[in-house]
Amino acid sequence: MKKHNFYAGPSILPEFTKGKTAEAVTNFAGTGLSVMEVSHRSKEFVAVMSEAQALIKELLQVPDGYSVLFLQGGASTQFLMVPYNLMGKKSAYLNTGSWASKAIKEAKLFGDVVEVASSKDANFNYIPKDYVVPADADYFHITSNNTIYGTELLSDPDVGIPLVADMSSDILSRPIDVAKYNLIYAGAQKNLGPSGATVVIVKDEALGKVDRPIPTMLNYKTHIDKESMFNTPATLPIFACLQTLRWLKENGGVEAMEKTNIEKAALLYNELDRNKLFVPTVTDPNDRSRMNVTFVMAPEYTELEKDFLDFATAKGMVGIKGHRSVGGFRASIYNAMPAESVKALVEAMQDFEKNK
Amino acid sequence: MKKHNFYAGPSILPEFTKGKTAEAVTNFAGTGLSVMEVSHRSKEFVAVMSEAQALIKELLQVPDGYSVLFLQGGASTQFLMVPYNLMGKKSAYLNTGSWASKAIKEAKLFGDVVEVASSKDANFNYIPKDYVVPADADYFHITSNNTIYGTELLSDPDVGIPLVADMSSDILSRPIDVAKYNLIYAGAQKNLGPSGATVVIVKDEALGKVDRPIPTMLNYKTHIDKESMFNTPATLPIFACLQTLRWLKENGGVEAMEKTNIEKAALLYNELDRNKLFVPTVTDPNDRSRMNVTFVMAPEYTELEKDFLDFATAKGMVGIKGHRSVGGFRASIYNAMPAESVKALVEAMQDFEKNK
């Protein structure tokens, strides 16, 4: 039976990425060796790294003066690297969920953190709108997509100071204005590749302005100077990211992705707004994530939750159980998710409703 | 033509590891999904993580009271995490090469670092023997194998205080007495798997003794408490490590590896001691690495260096060019390296000698 992979991350990847990676695990770039056992300094792998960095610059139209890095440690490590490198005395954060809260916690080790607004009062089911960002903060940190709560900031805010964003779960899903950002980071395991690689896009001139000593591996300058090869990078995950980047370019880039992502999300949200059994957890359409669609059973049908999970599982849906902080269901529909799988889920919801 | 993979890292992996990984990139544990696109919290991946941790404990006979972690960031990140977590006011380091020097540099950010001895005077071509380790240091840090310079500490030193070791390039190549160590760390990309995973073996009671605040991701306790799942681990690299661990167990464990590694190294060093064209860079047989055999042309034959590189390359040898700090050649002959490939290199050296 065909599986429909709705995992929140690690998550669905293009067939192209999987096929090319399986090939390279056996024979990489005609070397006769596995991509897992070739030096990161071989000309074959250096070409992978360069092309991956160049494609990110091209696809996101990264302006001059920015560096693209492939690091390790996930977004969680960026939570501390960002203030270590960019925060003098003060920074500002928007609290839109668990990951934003974790980023705030780390920043507090380094100075004065202003939480300009929070949607914690409503279990993070909306994006705060009315807030004031202090003009003397070094940056304003946002979590553009909130994987757990299903909300998304669908445009780059204008706040008068440089932005820093955790884009782990929506990077490359739509065009962004990189010039507004001092730094963007993303764990690869949603829209890019397998876990183990972390993309950082950083404005070079934003660095070198803090006084604290920075351990070598936590210093972005280390990795910029050595083109992400100061130490051994995660070669296989980066190889897989490159395949996804090639697939993205071949399929129209982030503009085409955005169009498809809007259509896929509409399919699901329209059904959620129509189907009497289900309720989306995010009510304001402007805040609804195109990547992670979260929903619960309507109050009068809560006892059917387990039934629907079993029903959908029997139809090949994988990974739709909601995060424990929200409950219910979560359908993660990243770039690589085909519309057919979204339609299959919608049909399952309709069939389930008919049978009740 | 058969390739003989002598890369220093990422480096040769068992055919078993490559075969199982290629399979899992297509269909992981019967899920019909790739190991790259399955949640780290799926029961299938949780089983991978648990078995990998258990096998390391079993193969290295790790005593009770130690935790095994799979982190990211490589040994270079451990250079700073070790002092962040374990160093109160003072630590002691043995300087046996570039990596040891880098570890010392990071430790100095955190307190008083005593470099008890260094072999820098002779381009690190030996392991210092006569040194005194201060009894009031929190730990004594060694780099058990020096990938660049071809030296190795073949037994666990007795110094009266707990050891900390970077075993990136010789972990699981021989039995060790883990009880002597507060912490052992190793990037996976030599004897374990692809780059992107870092193994840490840490004595639980060595932690929690320093006063400084530790960022969450840099705190070993974070990862112990969440069994290496505080954030998304590098799932595919860890899956590949597990395959190597299974292969190791199936092939007699670290005792059998040590026996074979001694034999393989002897083949090469015997030839280097005999062949008039080549000279091993490490003269004391007790200090010679079983993992990385470094050699140069004899002084009267230096002009033949490029010729031999071409000659060996034509016979399928890959990755034997020496590190720029030493020059000449380096044959990395990790656990997964078959004796046949070592013999092929020895034959190439003999053939080359005959033709001159």
Side-chain angles (χ1 to χ4, degrees):
Chain A
M1 183 180 53
K2 171 153 177 58
K3 296 287 182 77
H4 304 286
N5 182 358
F6 290 97
Y7 274 129
S11 45
I12 189 166
L13 291 170
E15 291 299 327
F16 179 81
T17 300
K18 293 187 277 182
K20 292 290 180 188
T21 305
E23 227 176 275
V25 165
T26 304
N27 183 2
F28 168 52
T31 57
L33 303 174
S34 169
V35 66
M36 301 194 293
E37 56 176 6
V38 165
S39 173
H40 55 299
R41 301 203 186 278
S42 64
K43 67 177 189 309
E44 293 85 2
F45 185 76
V46 169
V48 166
M49 178 68 93
S50 306
E51 188 185 343
Q53 290 168 334
L55 275 175
I56 287 180
K57 285 192 178 181
E58 181 184 338
L59 290 163
L60 289 177
Q61 298 188 41
V62 177
D64 287 346
Y66 284 76
S67 298
V68 174
L69 306 172
F70 279 92
L71 305 181
Q72 296 186 52
S76 297
T77 300
Q78 294 307 306
F79 295 166
L80 69 106
M81 281 180 70
V82 163
Y84 231 131
N85 285 267
L86 297 182
M87 181 173 171
K89 289 204 174 69
K90 190 190 275 190
S91 62
Y93 280 69
L94 185 64
N95 192 356
T96 52
S98 300
W99 299 107
S101 302
K102 287 179 181 182
I104 290 167
K105 181 184 168 213
E106 297 312 299
K108 285 181 175 169
L109 293 172
F110 299 90
D112 180 18
V113 177
V114 181
E115 185 181 301
V116 301
S118 168
S119 45
K120 197 174 180 184
D121 57 332
N123 201 30
F124 298 114
N125 72 358
Y126 69 98
I127 300 284
K129 304 290 178 319
D130 297 316
Y131 50 78
V132 178
V133 175
D136 61 345
D138 290 314
Y139 59 84
F140 177 50
H141 181 284
I142 57 173
T143 310
S144 55
N145 183 71
N146 299 282
T147 325
I148 294 177
Y149 303 95
T151 62
E152 189 172 6
L153 280 93
L154 291 162
S155 60
D156 316 300
D158 279 307
V159 296
I161 64 171
L163 301 175
V164 169
D166 176 356
M167 293 196 180
S168 292
S169 46
D170 61 353
I171 194 164
L172 295 160
S173 70
R174 57 186 160 87
I176 50 172
D177 182 1
V178 175
K180 287 187 179 173
Y181 295 83
N182 270 356
L183 194 142
I184 292 167
Y185 60 92
Q189 66 271 14
K190 320 280 186 183
N191 270 320
L192 260 170
S195 56
T198 310
V199 172
V200 172
I201 304 168
V202 57
K203 189 172 189 170
D204 299 331
E205 69 176 27
L207 299 172
K209 296 185 174 169
V210 299
D211 293 329
R212 69 181 68 85
I214 306 174
T216 308
M217 278 294 285
L218 303 179
N219 193 330
Y220 293 115
K221 284 193 160 182
T222 301
H223 304 289
I224 293 173
D225 289 348
K226 298 291 183 180
E227 295 176 332
S228 302
M229 296 268 202
F230 172 74
N231 71 328
T232 315
T235 52
L236 174 49
I238 294 168
F239 174 87
C241 287
L242 171 60
Q243 308 317 310
T244 305
L245 291 164
R246 286 176 173 172
W247 171 86
L248 253 166
K249 184 176 173 180
E250 186 65 30
N251 285 275
V254 292
E255 292 76 12
M257 289 298 134
E258 181 178 46
K259 187 167 169 288
T260 319
N261 287 329
I262 290 174
E263 290 164 4
K264 289 185 299 184
L267 280 174
L268 253 178
Y269 285 116
N270 289 345
E271 178 61 18
L272 287 170
D273 286 336
R274 187 207 63 73
N275 193 312
K276 68 176 186 296
L277 299 181
F278 303 100
V279 184
T281 64
V282 180
T283 43
D284 185 340
N286 297 313
D287 294 349
R288 287 178 173 172
S289 169
R290 293 173 192 153
M291 299 287 105
N292 311 96
V293 179
T294 49
F295 54 102
V296 293
M297 303 308 297
E300 56 274 45
Y301 297 105
T302 50
E303 82 283 358
L304 294 180
E305 184 170 311
K306 172 86 174 44
D307 283 2
F308 179 67
L309 184 62
D310 294 343
F311 184 81
T313 304
K315 288 180 177 294
M317 313 293 150
V318 177
I320 61 164
K321 197 167 159 39
H323 190 277
R324 64 186 176 284
S325 318
V326 176
F329 303 94
R330 169 171 56 180
S332 297
I333 52 173
Y334 300 115
N335 283 349
M337 173 64 71
E340 297 71 57
S341 288
V342 179
K343 284 176 192 157
L345 177 57
V346 167
E347 276 164 30
M349 294 163 84
Q350 293 171 344
D351 289 351
F352 189 71
E353 186 190 30
K354 275 183 211 142
N355 296 340
K356 295 297 145 189
Chain B
M1 182 182 53
K2 169 149 179 62
K3 296 288 182 75
H4 304 285
N5 182 358
F6 290 97
Y7 274 131
S11 46
I12 189 167
L13 291 171
E15 291 298 327
F16 179 82
T17 300
K18 293 187 277 180
K20 292 290 180 187
T21 304
E23 227 175 276
V25 166
T26 305
N27 183 0
F28 168 50
T31 58
L33 304 174
S34 169
V35 66
M36 301 194 293
E37 56 178 4
V38 165
S39 173
H40 55 298
R41 301 203 186 280
S42 65
K43 68 176 189 307
E44 293 85 2
F45 186 76
V46 168
V48 166
M49 177 68 94
S50 304
E51 188 185 342
Q53 290 168 335
L55 274 175
I56 287 180
K57 285 192 177 182
E58 181 184 337
L59 289 164
L60 290 176
Q61 298 187 42
V62 177
D64 288 345
Y66 284 77
S67 298
V68 173
L69 305 173
F70 279 91
L71 305 182
Q72 296 187 51
S76 296
T77 300
Q78 294 307 307
F79 295 167
L80 69 106
M81 280 180 72
V82 162
Y84 231 131
N85 285 267
L86 297 181
M87 181 174 172
K89 290 205 174 69
K90 189 189 276 190
S91 62
Y93 280 70
L94 185 65
N95 191 356
T96 52
S98 300
W99 300 108
S101 302
K102 288 179 180 181
I104 290 167
K105 182 184 169 214
E106 297 310 300
K108 284 180 174 169
L109 293 173
F110 299 91
D112 181 18
V113 177
V114 181
E115 185 180 301
V116 300
S118 169
S119 46
K120 196 174 181 184
D121 57 330
N123 202 29
F124 299 115
N125 72 358
Y126 70 99
I127 301 283
K129 304 289 178 322
D130 297 317
Y131 50 77
V132 178
V133 175
D136 61 343
D138 291 313
Y139 59 83
F140 178 51
H141 182 284
I142 57 172
T143 311
S144 55
N145 184 71
N146 299 283
T147 323
I148 295 177
Y149 303 95
T151 63
E152 188 172 6
L153 281 92
L154 291 161
S155 61
D156 316 298
D158 279 306
V159 295
I161 64 170
L163 302 174
V164 169
D166 176 356
M167 293 196 179
S168 291
S169 48
D170 62 351
I171 195 163
L172 293 161
S173 71
R174 56 184 160 87
I176 50 171
D177 182 2
V178 176
K180 286 185 179 174
Y181 296 84
N182 271 356
L183 194 142
I184 292 166
Y185 60 91
Q189 65 271 15
K190 320 280 186 181
N191 270 319
L192 260 170
S195 56
T198 311
V199 172
V200 172
I201 303 169
V202 57
K203 189 172 189 170
D204 299 331
E205 68 176 27
L207 300 173
K209 296 183 174 170
V210 299
D211 292 330
R212 69 180 66 85
I214 307 173
T216 307
M217 277 295 285
L218 303 179
N219 193 331
Y220 293 115
K221 284 193 161 185
T222 302
H223 304 290
I224 294 173
D225 290 348
K226 299 290 185 182
E227 295 177 333
S228 303
M229 296 267 202
F230 172 75
N231 71 326
T232 314
T235 53
L236 174 48
I238 295 169
F239 174 87
C241 287
L242 171 61
Q243 309 315 311
T244 305
L245 291 164
R246 286 176 173 173
W247 171 85
L248 254 166
K249 184 175 172 180
E250 187 64 30
N251 286 277
V254 292
E255 293 76 12
M257 289 299 134
E258 181 177 47
K259 187 169 171 289
T260 318
N261 287 330
I262 289 173
E263 290 164 3
K264 289 185 299 184
L267 280 174
L268 253 177
Y269 285 116
N270 289 345
E271 177 61 18
L272 288 170
D273 286 337
R274 188 206 61 75
N275 193 312
K276 69 175 185 294
L277 299 182
F278 303 99
V279 184
T281 64
V282 179
T283 44
D284 186 339
N286 298 313
D287 295 347
R288 286 176 174 174
S289 170
R290 294 174 192 152
M291 300 287 104
N292 311 97
V293 179
T294 49
F295 54 101
V296 292
M297 302 308 298
E300 56 274 44
Y301 298 105
T302 49
E303 80 284 359
L304 295 179
E305 184 170 310
K306 172 90 174 46
D307 283 2
F308 179 67
L309 184 61
D310 294 343
F311 184 81
T313 302
K315 287 181 177 293
M317 314 291 151
V318 178
I320 63 165
K321 196 167 161 37
H323 190 277
R324 64 186 177 282
S325 318
V326 176
F329 303 94
R330 170 172 55 180
S332 297
I333 53 173
Y334 300 115
N335 282 348
M337 173 63 71
E340 297 72 58
S341 287
V342 179
K343 285 176 192 157
L345 176 58
V346 167
E347 277 165 28
M349 293 163 84
Q350 292 172 344
D351 289 350
F352 189 71
E353 186 190 30
K354 274 182 211 140
N355 296 340
K356 295 297 147 190

